Amino acid sequence: MNNSVVVISYLVSMVVAVFLLWRFSHIRWYWHALAVAVALGLGLMPPLAQEAGRNYDVALGSAFLFLLVWGAGEPLFKVLHLPRHF
């Protein structure tokens, strides 16, 4: 797999997370806290031996980035007072 595919998949997961933060502002805070907890759980778990491979790593990394950006990005949107749409 080409390195550009990895970078593009990570960027897409981050852009989707930021778009969802911008578009949907009515989500409760505990969903964001749960997303950060799940992201940390995914990031800290040891790799599965039978699933070892680059595709697995990219999928897990994309899920980790999406959950972490979506979960931890909510306070930044509130602090920076970015406009939201309903």
Side-chain angles (χ1 to χ4, degrees):
M1 182 182 307
N2 195 355
N3 288 339
S4 63
V5 173
V6 176
V7 172
I8 289 171
S9 66
Y10 288 168
L11 285 176
V12 166
S13 67
M14 289 172 49
V15 166
V16 168
V18 169
F19 174 75
L20 290 176
L21 277 171
W22 174 72
R23 182 71 175 123
F24 301 107
S25 63
H26 59 278
I27 305 296
R28 301 281 185 188
W29 66 269
Y30 49 83
W31 288 111
H32 294 284
L34 181 64
V36 170
V38 170
L40 291 176
L42 283 175
L44 294 175
M45 76 176 196
L48 303 173
Q50 67 271 20
E51 296 294 331
R54 192 154 175 132
N55 291 335
Y56 174 75
D57 292 340
V58 170
L60 195 65
S62 294
F64 171 78
L65 277 176
F66 173 79
L67 290 170
L68 190 66
V69 169
W70 185 74
E74 179 66 18
L76 292 177
F77 270 69
K78 287 185 180 201
V79 168
L80 297 175
H81 303 290
L82 295 176
R84 297 183 180 183
H85 300 277
F86 291 100

